[in-house]
């Protein structure tokens, strides 16, 4: 190594060994600011009990909030959700009340909705997607997570769509909705659910609309029976195919092994 190269590396080493307080302070300041920004964005220890306490960027970016369904608030009807912060602090969080949530585009008009929610959603995990706030109430969608023990899977259910489909609520979608927004995706699903509820005369629509003509009822029953028969027939056909395939495989193995056994016997005889 030349003297010039040795001097160069020596200068680099001495430069790294020097304590530059200004540089260290700047690095630590940037790291601290980044950590503070991340904490402000995620709010890992914040349990929201009022929509007014939720930061604005949660609404702009529709950051999902996790929680547990706690019940229903009457007049006005609001779903009560126990928001679960990423970092749970028992003494602090347990004392805070649940967050009142208004379902976007949904107007609950039947008392049966409360009974159904208590039976299906009580104590179950939910996910909220904040859309707007009305004073202390959060306007959001509520996705229910139902664990299926038999299949060991999780079923997700949009509570707003389901309440409308059951005829316990009406779709109250605003007329002017921006394109390529969350609301533009939710509105068609809610209107479609209400259309199904009306056609089936579910819930409130059984009294507000005339009965379904008898030929439509028979047609629907026929379609359901045909569908069920097709499903059963398909399952039977698949079972027969599997059975034949297994038998064919066993027969093929027997045929393949048989000549070798006969040849071995001939060799032993000779």
């Amino acid at each position: 190594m030349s003297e010039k190269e040795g001097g160069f590396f020596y200068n680099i080493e001495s430069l790294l060994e020097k304590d530059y307080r200004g540089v260290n302070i700047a690095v630590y300041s940037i790291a601290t600011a980044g950590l503070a920004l991340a904490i402000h964005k995620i709010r890992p220890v914040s349990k929201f009990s009022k929509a007014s306490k939720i930061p604005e960027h949660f609404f702009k970016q529709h950051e999902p909030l996790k929680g547990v369904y706690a019940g229903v608030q009457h007049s006005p009807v609001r779903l009560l959700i126990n928001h679960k912060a990423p970092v749970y602090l028992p003494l602090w969080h347990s004392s805070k009340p649940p967050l009142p949530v208004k379902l976007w585009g949904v107007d609950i008009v039947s008392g049966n909705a409360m009974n159904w929610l208590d039976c299906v959603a009580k104590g179950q995990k939910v996910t909220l997607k904040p859309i707007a706030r009305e004073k202390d109430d959060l306007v959001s969608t509520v996705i229910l997570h139902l664990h299926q023990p038999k299949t060991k899977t999780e079923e997700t259910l949009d509570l707003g769509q389901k309440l409308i489909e059951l005829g316990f609520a009406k779709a109250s979608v605003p007329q002017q909705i921006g394109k390529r927004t969350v609301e533009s995706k939710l509105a068609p699903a809610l209107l479609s659910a209400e259309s199904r509820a009306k056609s089936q005369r579910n819930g409130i629509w059984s009294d507000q609309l005339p009965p379904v003509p008898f030929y439509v009822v028979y047609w629907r029953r026929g379609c359901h029976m045909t569908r069920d028969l097709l499903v059963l027939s398909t399952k039977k056909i698949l079972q027969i195919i599997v059975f034949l395939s297994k038998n064919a495989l066993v027969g093929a193995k027997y045929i393949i092994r048989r000549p070798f056994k006969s040849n071995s016997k001939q060799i032993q005889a000779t």
Side-chain angles (χ1 to χ4, degrees):
M1 181 182 293
S2 65
E3 183 177 356
K4 183 181 292 187
E5 291 177 348
F8 173 76
F9 286 111
Y10 175 78
N11 293 333
I12 293 295
E13 183 180 359
S14 62
L15 182 65
L16 292 175
E17 290 178 352
K18 290 182 178 179
D19 182 16
Y20 288 95
R21 294 185 178 181
V23 175
N24 292 335
I25 292 173
V27 171
Y28 294 149
S29 300
I30 293 173
T32 304
L35 179 61
L37 183 62
I39 293 174
H40 173 73
K41 183 177 180 181
I42 301 173
R43 295 295 180 93
V45 297
S46 297
K47 177 185 177 180
F48 302 125
S49 57
K50 296 180 180 180
S52 57
K53 300 295 183 179
I54 300 176
E56 189 64 28
H57 67 268
F58 275 76
F59 295 94
K60 292 181 179 180
Q61 301 176 8
H62 305 292
E63 292 285 345
L65 301 175
K66 303 292 183 179
V68 175
Y69 180 87
V72 181
Q73 168 190 298
H74 300 271
S75 62
V77 178
R78 298 287 185 267
L79 306 188
L80 298 176
I81 306 297
N82 266 324
H83 171 237
K84 294 293 183 181
V87 179
Y88 182 66
L89 303 177
L91 297 178
W92 185 23
H93 290 165
S94 60
S95 61
K96 290 194 172 184
L99 174 68
V101 178
K102 177 184 178 181
L103 294 171
W104 184 90
V106 179
D107 185 15
I108 299 176
V109 294
S110 174
N112 293 327
M114 290 67 168
N115 299 329
W116 183 84
L117 287 169
D118 285 339
C119 292
V120 176
K122 192 77 171 182
Q124 300 294 332
K125 294 180 180 180
V126 296
T127 300
L128 311 178
K129 183 176 287 188
I131 296 176
R133 60 165 70 94
E134 290 186 3
K135 297 182 180 179
D136 290 334
D137 298 341
L138 173 66
V139 181
S140 171
T141 61
V142 179
I143 304 298
L144 180 67
H145 301 277
L146 294 175
H147 180 68
Q148 304 296 329
K150 293 183 179 180
T151 58
K152 295 182 179 180
T153 58
E154 188 178 78
E155 179 185 358
T156 57
L157 196 68
D158 190 303
L159 289 182
Q161 293 182 25
K162 195 62 180 179
L163 289 172
I164 293 176
E165 188 175 354
L166 293 172
F168 299 154
K170 293 182 178 180
S172 58
V173 177
Q175 294 182 354
Q176 295 182 351
I177 300 176
K179 295 181 179 180
R180 297 180 181 179
T181 59
V182 174
E183 295 89 331
S184 64
K185 297 179 180 178
L186 294 173
L190 297 180
L191 295 174
S192 178
E194 186 173 78
S195 179
R196 290 194 299 272
K198 289 180 179 180
S199 64
Q200 299 291 338
R201 300 298 190 271
N202 293 337
I204 59 173
W205 305 113
S206 61
D207 297 329
Q208 298 185 12
L209 295 176
V212 180
F214 70 93
Y215 58 86
V216 176
V217 176
Y218 288 131
W219 170 259
R220 289 175 179 173
R221 290 179 181 176
C223 291
H224 290 318
M225 291 179 62
T226 304
R227 182 189 61 189
D228 294 340
L229 288 173
L230 288 173
V231 172
L232 291 174
S233 301
T234 304
K235 289 182 178 179
K236 289 291 183 182
I237 292 171
L238 290 175
Q239 290 176 357
I240 292 172
I241 292 174
V242 172
F243 177 76
L244 293 175
S245 300
K246 289 181 178 179
N247 289 338
L249 183 60
V250 172
K253 288 181 179 179
Y254 177 77
I255 292 171
I256 292 171
R257 291 176 180 177
R258 188 174 180 181
F260 290 100
K261 290 183 178 179
S262 60
N263 292 336
S264 62
K265 288 180 180 179
Q266 291 178 3
I267 292 170
Q268 291 176 0
T270 56

